[in-house]
């Protein structure tokens, strides 16, 4: 095989990000110590993300695959990559000042985010068991480190360690499953696996391998019952890190789940849709019920994200075009809701200390009306109240479920969303119906205001732009499900 | 010229445009409060004036939807931006735009904190209510129907009474649970018919077995909204805790969303299921009429009592709708409009004395007639309208419902009629205890006379109640063809109408 430079063109965004990461290593090492350098690295990271996003949108190479078919950059990858890039951009952008205030503003943070971002992008484009595993590891390892970034905090170290141990376990399962699948198909490429599983009797070992692989990714998605690390890691990590965890890696992991199920196992949806359905129901239940008793908003958001993954997986369980389409709309709304919510959680500080108990929000509507309004919009959207973005995600996901004959799943889903509404309303109650004793710090960085403003606008006007989102998601879905 | 204007969109979104004005008000707290009140009043009054366009332009002799607007929203997915009114939705649109300025006027003095936010909540609420009545697309209808919860939750929770948090949560979650079941049914309908266009769904034939399920799903939502016994328990709590204006809108318009839903969705779209479940609805409604009337009798809180009377009156509405004949449905419609006016007025009656004495306990009052004679006249009139005195709008609605119920089932008519007697009992008793007798305390003695603002709220309501009482054809003419359309649709679906017996 003759290697040509043009063959690498589909991977240009990743190459840009990786080059930036390497360059940032030098800047971080030689740029001097202190806040100025951390800021410089963060700004360069943002620049790299913008460039990558620009490349994703504008460069459309002749062929979709690269690296001998291990990498696939189709319309689906473009769509999901934009989501991931937006989520990471917002997370880095609004973390600069909070990190400085927490005195953990090391240049390594942005650098590690950048490396992890390369992993996420590769996950979305994975088209081979090898690239899948490499991407997952590249995405995870930097995150283990940033989780433990607050070195003088026991909880942060605990979060990092816990995340690492369970992440390693899930990688092991993924790898074991991959080996069984490889053993059956005799190839690691998704196209080859898809060809091998079509119209044949499938041995039990293969099914076990497939389920192990789905389980491994379910860890990354934090779908119940593989969610145990989520609340602790969310709570223990510094808030900027949680903001990062909660958004982009989830999108990447869901994208990987879609890639694997449709790329490799597309013709045997019957075999895996039950597994996904079980994950979905369990996540909706755990997410809705687990969040009720939480007193820490980051912990609550952890359960909330578990529930959201349950809803997204309900679309996947449908095993149809509509299902994938629903998942994509859902993840789109999820990114903006997550970004908007965390832009407020990041500024929850009192007397210079991070204050993330739900009760700290008491009376926010009087002290900082605009942020209270913003958080209220996010909470109503997460509860799925129309006409906000979260509703449309649910509409399309459940539409697919009902269309696939999974009415009980849809009914469980909507009932759980009512239970979920309870704890979202609780936040609104605390902000609006109660008076504050000690207001939160009023000094808010501009970045958070910008991020909040943009995500509020997107959430509230989602219905107006829905048509173009639908068209893009439809093209992406068709690309994902196209036979090789 | 004016025919080409998107009148319904303008009416729907005008209050939302008013919100933008409210947001730009600057100044100290008093200025903001005062200006917010003024702006909100003007915006809602202007919306009412514009909504008169559809009253004047409405052609009672034309069947089908009028002022229709249809635009592309979600490509070719069968979901579009579609608005229009017929004889059933038009009165509700006007009821909403008519009550809203009065509600804002009613909160002129009683709301002192966070006035701007309060007015924003009300204007948003108005947009959602109007939008819901004029939507001719099921998804749009759902968006507005559900979005109503957001401002109402805040109105009860922020400006409500001591147990406001409990009441707000109960209101929100109760209604949401009903609505999401309807949502699943809407998904099924969308898949079955390939569109969310309401006129199209009306002519779509759903399989009989499926209809029953769909009916139950919609029933879960509308029954909670109406509210029907036994899912009415959120209503007394919400009413008692909500501020006066909140109660006026809640009783005046929001309860009608359920009845409207039955007429727009359940009856025309699931005719055979409606016939199948009609007896169930009759039983629940009769229980509501009798049981809640008795419960109302036992209340010591004025607002709670009127809240229970609302449940009883809405029982009449559901009986009328499901008796599925012309008189029944017309009576139900009439009763809804009449109840919208009368109950809003009654809640305002309570609000007037509550503003002065800050209690709603019946026992704290007595002899108010001596102190506020003109108030006594208005209260008396509304009380009698609620009881169904001939010459008021309440009479026409109840009478027609009884005629309709009689055709459906004589026993049904008998039980329903007993509600009239009980209604008269508790209302008259309430009036006697509050208004007549000795002046019970110095506080009552020193109550302020009525203000011009309060006259300004009572007078339009009184005039309309009287007008519809003596000239009911004004309303009945408007509705006739639309009701006939529903009945024809039912007949075409092979439903053996009760009227045919």
């Amino acid at each position: 095989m003759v290697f040509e430079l043009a063959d690498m063109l589909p991977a240009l965004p990743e190459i840009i990000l990786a080059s930036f990461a390497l360059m940032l290593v030098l800047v971080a090492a030689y740029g001097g110590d202190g806040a100025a350098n951390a800021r410089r690295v963060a700004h360069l990271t943002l620049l790299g993300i913008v460039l990558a996003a620009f490349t994703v949108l504008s460069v459309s190479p002749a062929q979709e695959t690269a690296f001998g078919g291990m990498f696939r950059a189709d319309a689906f990858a473009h769509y999901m990559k934009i989501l991931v890039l937006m989520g990471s951009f917002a997370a880095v952008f609004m973390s600069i000042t909070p990190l400085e205030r927490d005195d953990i503003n090391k240049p390594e943070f942005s650098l590690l985010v950048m490396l992890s971002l390369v992993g996420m992008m590769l996950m979305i484009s994975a088209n081979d068991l090898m690239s899948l595993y490499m991407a997952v590891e590249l995405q995870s390892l930097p995150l283990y480190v940033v989780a433990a970034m607050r070195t003088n905090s026991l909880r942060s170290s605990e979060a990092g360690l816990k995340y690492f141990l369970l992440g390693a376990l899930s990688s092991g399962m993924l790898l074991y499953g991959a080996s069984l699948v490889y053993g059956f198909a005799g190839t690691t490429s998704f196209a080859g696996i898809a060809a091998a599983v079509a119209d044949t009797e499938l041995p039990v070992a293969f099914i076990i391998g497939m389920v192990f692989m789905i389980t491994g990714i379910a860890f990354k998605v934090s779908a119940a019952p593989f969610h145990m690390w989520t609340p602790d890691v969310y709570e223990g990590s510094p808030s900027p890190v949680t903001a990062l965890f909660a958004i982009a890696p989830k999108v990447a992991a869901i994208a990987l789940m879609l890639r694997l199920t449709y790329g490799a196992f597309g013709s045997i949806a019957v075999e895996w849709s039950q597994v996904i359905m079980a994950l979905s129901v369990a996540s909706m239940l755990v997410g809705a019920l687990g969040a009720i008793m939480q007193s820490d908003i980051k912990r609550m958001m952890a359960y909330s994200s578990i529930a959201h993954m349950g809803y997204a997986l309900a679309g996947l369980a449908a095993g149809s075009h509509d299902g994938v389409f629903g998942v994509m709309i859902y993840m789109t709304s999820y990114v903006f809701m997550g970004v908007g919510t965390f832009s407020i959680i990041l500024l929850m500080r009192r007397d210079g200390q991070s204050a993330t108990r739900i009760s700290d929000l008491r009376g926010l509507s009087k002290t900082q009306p605009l942020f209270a309004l913003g958080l209220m919009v996010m909470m109503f959207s997460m509860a799925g109240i129309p006409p906000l973005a979260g509703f449309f995600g649910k509409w399309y996901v459940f539409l697919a479920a009902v269309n696939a004959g999974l009415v009980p799943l849809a009914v469980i889903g909507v009932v759980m969303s009512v239970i979920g509404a309870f704890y979202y309303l609780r936040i609104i109650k605390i902000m609006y119906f109660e008076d504050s004793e000690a207001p939160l710090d009023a000094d808010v960085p501009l970045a958070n205001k910008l991020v909040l403003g943009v995500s509020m606008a997107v959430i509230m006007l989602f219905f107006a732009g829905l048509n173009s989102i639908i068209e893009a998601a439809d093209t992406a879905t068709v690309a994902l499900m196209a036979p090789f | 010229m004016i025919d080409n204007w998107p009148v319904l969109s303008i009416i729907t979104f005008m209050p939302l445009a008013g919100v933008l004005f409210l947001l730009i008000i600057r100044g100290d707290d008093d200025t903001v409060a005062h200006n917010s009140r003024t702006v909100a009043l003007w915006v809602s009054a202007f919306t009412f004036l514009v909504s008169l366009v559809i009253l004047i332009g409405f052609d009672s002799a034309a069947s089908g939807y009028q002022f229709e607007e249809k635009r592309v929203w979600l490509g070719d997915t069968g979901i579009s931006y579609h608005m229009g009114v017929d004889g059933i939705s038009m009165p509700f649109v006007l009821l909403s735009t008519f009550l809203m300025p009065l509600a804002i006027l009613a909160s002129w003095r009683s709301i002192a904190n966070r006035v701007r936010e309060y007015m924003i909540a009300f204007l948003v609420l108005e947009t959602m209510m109007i939008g819901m009545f004029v939507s001719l697309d099921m998804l749009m209808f759902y968006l507005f129907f559900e979005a109503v919860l957001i401002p109402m939750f805040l109105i009860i929770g922020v400006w409500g009474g001591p147990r406001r948090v409990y009441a707000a949560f109960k209101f929100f979650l109760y209604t949401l649970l009903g609505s999401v079941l309807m949502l699943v049914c809407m998904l099924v309908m969308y898949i079955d018919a390939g569109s969310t266009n309401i006129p199209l769904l009306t002519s779509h034939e759903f399989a009989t077995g499926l209809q029953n399920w769909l009916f139950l799903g919609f029933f879960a939502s509308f029954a909670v909204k109406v509210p029907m016994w036994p899912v009415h328990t959120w209503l007394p709590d919400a009413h008692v805790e909500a501020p006066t204006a909140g109660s006026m809108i809640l009783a005046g318009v929001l309860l009608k969303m359920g009845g409207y839903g039955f007429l727009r969705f359940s009856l025309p779209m699931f005719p055979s299921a409606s016939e199948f479940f009609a007896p169930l609805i009759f039983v629940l409604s009769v229980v509501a009429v009798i049981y809640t009337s008795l419960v109302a009798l036992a209340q010591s809180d004025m607002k709670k009592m009127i809240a229970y009377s609302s449940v009883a009156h809405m029982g009449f509405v559901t009986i009328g709708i499901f008796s599925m004949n012309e008189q029944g449905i017309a009576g139900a419609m009439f009763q809804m409009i009449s109840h919208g006016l009368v109950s809003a007025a009654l809640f305002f009656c309570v609000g007037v004395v509550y503003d002065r004495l800050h209690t709603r306990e019946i026992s704290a009052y007595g002899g108010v007639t001596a102190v506020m004679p003109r108030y006594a006249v208005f209260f008396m009139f509304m009380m009698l309208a609620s009881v169904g005195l001939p010459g008021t709008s309440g009479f026409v609605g109840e009478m027609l419902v009884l005629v309709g119920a009689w055709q459906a089932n004589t026993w049904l008519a008998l039980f329903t009629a007993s509600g009239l007697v009980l209604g008269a009992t508790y209302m008259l008793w309430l009036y006697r205890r509050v208004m007549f007798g000795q002046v019970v305390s110095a506080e009552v003695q020193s109550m302020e006379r009525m203000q011009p603002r309060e006259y300004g709220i009572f007078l339009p309501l009184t005039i309309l109640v009287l007008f519809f009482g003596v000239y009911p054809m004004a309303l009945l003419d408007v509705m006739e063809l639309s009701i006939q359309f529903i009945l024809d649709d039912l007949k075409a679906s092979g439903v053996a109408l009760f009227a045919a017996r």
Side-chain angles (χ1 to χ4, degrees):
Chain A
M1 198 172 91
V2 186
F3 179 80
E4 280 184 43
L5 209 56
D7 288 344
M8 286 170 64
L9 207 55
L12 192 58
E14 285 79 1
I15 294 171
I16 291 176
L17 286 175
S19 326
F20 258 84
L22 293 177
M23 184 183 78
L24 289 177
V25 174
L26 297 177
V27 177
Y30 297 106
D33 240 359
N37 198 32
R39 210 165 247 273
R40 189 181 309 134
V41 174
H43 288 156
L44 284 171
T45 306
L46 294 177
L47 178 67
I49 295 175
V50 171
L51 278 179
F54 181 73
T55 322
V56 171
L57 288 173
S58 58
V59 178
S60 46
Q63 87 269 38
E64 278 186 347
T65 54
F67 305 114
M70 289 175 79
F71 181 93
R72 190 170 180 205
D74 48 9
F76 170 77
H78 291 327
Y79 189 100
M80 291 311 238
K81 277 177 188 171
I82 290 295
L83 286 186
V84 163
L85 288 168
M86 283 196 297
S88 320
F89 181 89
V92 175
F93 185 47
M94 63 193 182
S95 294
I96 298 176
T97 316
L99 283 170
E100 279 171 7
R101 291 183 183 166
D102 275 348
D103 208 21
I104 43 174
N105 52 333
K106 305 191 183 97
E108 290 90 325
F109 175 73
S110 319
L111 173 62
L112 290 167
V113 171
M114 195 62 141
L115 281 171
S116 175
L117 185 55
V118 178
M120 293 179 217
M121 303 277 281
L122 290 172
M123 275 164 81
I124 295 170
S125 279
N127 202 28
D128 187 290
L129 294 179
M130 303 286 277
S131 55
L132 177 152
Y133 184 73
M134 268 165 34
V136 166
E137 287 304 287
L138 182 56
Q139 178 258 349
S140 310
L141 282 169
L143 294 186
Y144 303 146
V145 182
V146 288
M149 206 170 60
R150 200 199 297 266
T151 41
N152 57 0
S153 151
L154 203 59
R155 307 206 70 166
S156 178
S157 310
E158 182 198 326
L161 193 62
K162 204 172 249 174
Y163 194 21
F164 173 70
L165 284 176
L166 285 166
L169 177 68
S170 77
S171 295
M173 293 174 99
L174 191 63
L175 209 51
Y176 181 59
S179 71
L180 286 175
V181 171
Y182 170 69
F184 170 76
T187 169
T188 54
S189 90
F190 284 1
I193 297 171
V197 297
D199 309 319
T200 36
E201 192 73 21
L202 297 165
V204 180
F206 169 79
I207 303 289
I208 293 176
M210 187 180 73
V211 173
F212 263 94
M213 288 197 76
I214 289 174
T215 309
I217 302 173
F219 262 106
K220 303 288 174 198
V221 177
S222 77
F226 310 108
H227 65 281
M228 284 80 77
W229 58 275
T230 323
D232 293 336
V233 172
Y234 271 47
E235 190 189 7
S237 307
S239 298
V241 177
T242 315
L244 176 72
F245 283 174
I247 304 154
K250 293 283 167 66
V251 179
I254 285 281
L256 183 65
M257 189 78 105
L258 291 171
R259 267 271 184 246
L260 182 69
T261 47
Y262 283 95
F265 309 132
S267 58
I268 49 166
V270 198
E271 307 287 343
W272 51 258
S273 71
Q274 288 169 14
V275 180
I276 301 285
M277 211 189 310
L279 288 174
S280 165
V281 171
S283 304
M284 291 191 288
L285 276 168
V286 167
L289 301 175
I292 293 175
M293 297 304 290
Q294 302 307 324
S295 59
D296 185 284
I297 190 160
K298 276 155 65 182
R299 246 187 129 75
M300 195 206 91
M301 286 304 292
Y303 281 103
S304 149
S305 85
I306 295 169
H308 283 304
M309 292 306 127
Y311 296 123
L313 290 176
L316 183 55
S320 60
H321 170 277
D322 289 358
V324 177
F325 175 78
V327 176
M328 299 187 76
I329 303 286
Y330 202 96
M331 293 317 287
T332 312
S333 69
Y334 177 79
V335 166
F336 288 101
M337 294 189 294
V339 164
T341 310
F342 273 98
S343 73
I344 293 162
I345 294 177
L346 281 178
L347 53 89
M348 286 173 65
R349 307 172 65 82
R350 183 175 291 128
D351 304 328
Q353 293 296 312
S354 169
T356 57
R357 298 186 69 74
I358 292 176
S359 54
D360 290 325
L361 288 168
R362 201 163 276 160
L364 193 71
S365 64
K366 282 201 178 132
T367 52
Q368 297 185 17
L370 229 59
F371 295 113
L373 178 70
L375 194 52
M376 178 171 79
V377 169
M378 297 303 151
M379 290 298 124
F380 275 128
S381 177
M382 288 204 184
I385 306 296
L388 305 171
F391 166 75
F392 291 100
K394 291 207 167 71
W395 166 268
Y396 282 110
V397 164
F398 291 133
L399 183 65
V402 170
N403 210 354
L406 306 175
V407 179
L409 180 66
V411 172
I412 294 174
V414 294
V415 170
M416 284 304 133
S417 81
V418 176
I419 298 176
F422 173 75
Y423 58 80
Y424 296 125
L425 288 183
R426 198 160 67 109
I427 305 263
I428 298 167
K429 177 200 91 170
I430 283 179
M431 291 190 304
Y432 277 85
F433 305 173
E434 292 179 10
D435 286 330
S436 75
E437 300 123 19
L440 294 171
D441 293 355
D443 178 21
V444 174
L446 180 68
N448 295 55
K449 288 184 193 164
L450 278 175
V451 171
L452 179 64
V454 170
S455 41
M456 260 175 82
V458 172
I459 297 283
M460 287 164 72
L461 299 175
F462 200 76
F463 65 91
L466 191 56
N467 202 24
S468 23
I469 298 173
I470 284 179
E471 278 169 14
D474 193 57
T475 320
T477 309
V478 171
L480 175 77
M481 300 181 73
F484 291 94
Chain B
M1 169 69 187
I2 202 156
D3 293 343
N4 301 326
W5 286 30
V7 185
L8 294 179
S9 295
I10 293 175
I11 299 171
T12 306
F13 294 107
M14 191 179 279
L16 216 51
V19 170
L20 297 180
F21 284 112
L22 285 173
L23 286 175
I24 56 172
I25 295 174
R26 287 285 173 273
D28 59 59
D29 285 357
D30 283 345
T31 325
V32 169
H34 181 258
N35 289 346
S36 300
R37 288 188 189 107
T38 321
V39 169
L41 182 64
W42 277 106
V43 168
S44 58
F46 194 63
T47 310
F48 172 63
L49 285 181
V50 177
S51 72
L52 290 177
V53 170
I54 60 169
L55 177 69
I56 294 161
F58 192 85
D59 182 2
S60 307
S63 65
Y65 296 98
Q66 305 184 25
F67 300 99
E68 241 181 295
E69 293 170 34
K70 196 167 181 180
R71 287 192 199 94
V72 177
W73 179 24
L74 298 182
D76 53 1
T77 54
I79 301 172
S80 56
Y81 178 90
H82 194 180
M83 283 179 169
V85 285
D86 65 355
I88 290 175
S89 50
M90 196 274 275
F92 288 117
V93 175
L94 278 150
L95 180 69
S96 313
T97 55
F98 173 72
L99 283 181
M100 194 47 88
L102 301 183
I104 286 171
L105 213 52
S107 26
W108 207 260
R109 281 208 322 187
S110 52
I111 300 297
N113 69 328
R114 301 204 216 180
V115 179
R116 187 214 308 252
E117 287 86 343
Y118 180 86
M119 294 303 168
I120 291 176
F122 266 87
L123 290 183
V124 171
L125 182 63
E126 183 173 14
T127 287
M128 299 309 165
M129 291 184 321
I130 301 173
M132 193 214 64
F133 287 124
V134 300
S135 291
L136 285 185
D137 182 276
M138 191 168 59
L139 180 60
M140 261 175 78
F141 169 86
Y142 187 79
L143 296 188
F144 287 117
F145 186 84
E146 278 284 86
V148 163
L149 296 182
I150 299 178
M152 205 60 209
F153 175 74
L154 294 173
I155 289 169
I156 298 175
V158 178
W159 294 278
R163 286 174 74 237
R164 59 183 198 271
V165 174
Y166 172 77
F169 269 72
K170 194 169 179 181
F171 163 75
F172 194 100
L173 295 175
Y174 232 103
T175 326
L176 184 63
L177 184 62
S179 305
V180 293
L181 294 177
M182 176 171 80
L183 177 66
V184 176
C185 292
M186 286 183 167
L187 292 169
V188 174
M189 290 164 71
Y190 175 41
I191 291 164
D192 200 65
S195 171
T196 53
N197 189 326
I198 288 178
L200 198 142
L201 287 167
T202 309
S203 54
H204 185 85
E205 294 273 333
F206 292 100
T208 318
L210 182 64
Q211 272 193 28
N212 288 347
W213 285 107
L214 295 176
F215 182 90
L216 286 176
F218 276 76
F219 181 69
S221 176
F222 297 146
V224 171
K225 271 278 188 231
V226 166
M228 292 176 72
W229 183 86
V231 286
H232 66 282
T233 59
W234 62 272
L235 183 79
D237 287 313
H239 268 313
V240 169
E241 301 306 325
T244 302
S247 295
M248 287 170 72
I249 294 297
L250 191 60
V253 185
L254 298 197
L255 298 194
K256 276 71 202 174
M257 289 160 64
Y260 172 73
F262 279 132
L263 285 172
R264 179 65 79 223
F265 291 92
S266 304
L267 235 46
M269 291 183 197
F270 324 124
S272 69
S274 299
E275 191 195 21
F276 181 74
F277 285 110
L280 171 76
I281 297 196
F282 289 151
V283 171
L284 294 181
S285 306
V286 165
V287 172
V289 168
I290 296 174
Y291 167 78
T292 52
S293 297
L294 291 173
V295 173
L297 211 49
Q299 297 306 314
S300 60
D301 181 308
M302 282 195 264
K303 247 184 160 180
K304 216 164 193 167
M305 180 165 167
I306 297 172
Y308 277 110
S309 87
S310 282
V311 182
H313 281 122
M314 293 309 284
F316 276 84
V317 171
T318 42
I319 290 172
I321 292 174
F322 283 90
S323 54
M324 288 192 260
N325 49 47
E326 203 179 338
Q327 291 83 358
I329 297 178
M333 276 294 295
F334 208 99
Q335 170 83 345
M336 280 198 272
I337 300 296
S338 159
H339 179 258
L341 300 169
V342 173
S343 67
L346 282 174
F347 277 114
F348 182 63
C349 285
V350 178
V352 167
V353 287
Y354 180 79
D355 281 349
R356 290 164 171 73
L357 228 57
H358 299 289
T359 175
R360 290 181 303 259
E361 284 299 310
I362 297 173
S363 54
Y365 293 90
V368 178
T369 314
V371 190
M372 300 171 74
R374 293 200 174 129
Y375 167 75
V377 174
F378 283 118
F379 194 176
M380 166 83 90
F381 180 77
M382 288 304 168
M383 189 262 308
L384 290 174
S386 166
V387 167
L389 185 80
T392 64
S393 61
F395 171 75
V396 184
E398 290 181 352
M399 202 56 220
L400 282 170
V401 168
L402 280 178
V403 172
W406 179 273
Q407 293 175 39
N409 184 318
T410 31
W411 286 103
L412 176 67
L414 176 73
F415 284 121
T416 312
S418 71
L420 291 178
V421 182
L422 288 167
T425 317
Y426 62 74
M427 285 315 281
L428 290 170
W429 195 37
L430 169 77
Y431 194 79
R432 194 196 71 77
R433 283 184 292 170
V434 173
M435 304 306 286
F436 294 142
Q438 295 295 312
V439 176
V440 289
S441 63
E443 285 86 28
V444 173
Q445 185 64 55
S446 62
M447 283 206 305
E448 231 184 306
R449 291 291 177 93
M450 290 252 288
Q451 300 167 338
R453 176 180 63 89
E454 288 162 343
Y455 285 116
I457 297 168
F458 272 128
L459 269 176
L461 288 167
T462 313
I463 291 169
L464 269 188
V465 170
L466 206 57
F467 173 72
F468 285 135
V470 294
Y471 187 57
M473 289 318 282
L475 195 52
L476 293 173
D477 275 346
V478 168
M479 308 181 309
E480 194 189 342
L481 279 175
S482 300
I483 293 171
Q484 202 53 53
F485 177 78
I486 296 177
L487 290 172
D488 290 346
D489 195 63
L490 285 171
K491 242 180 238 155
S493 316
V495 174
L497 295 178
F498 293 113
R501 285 186 201 165

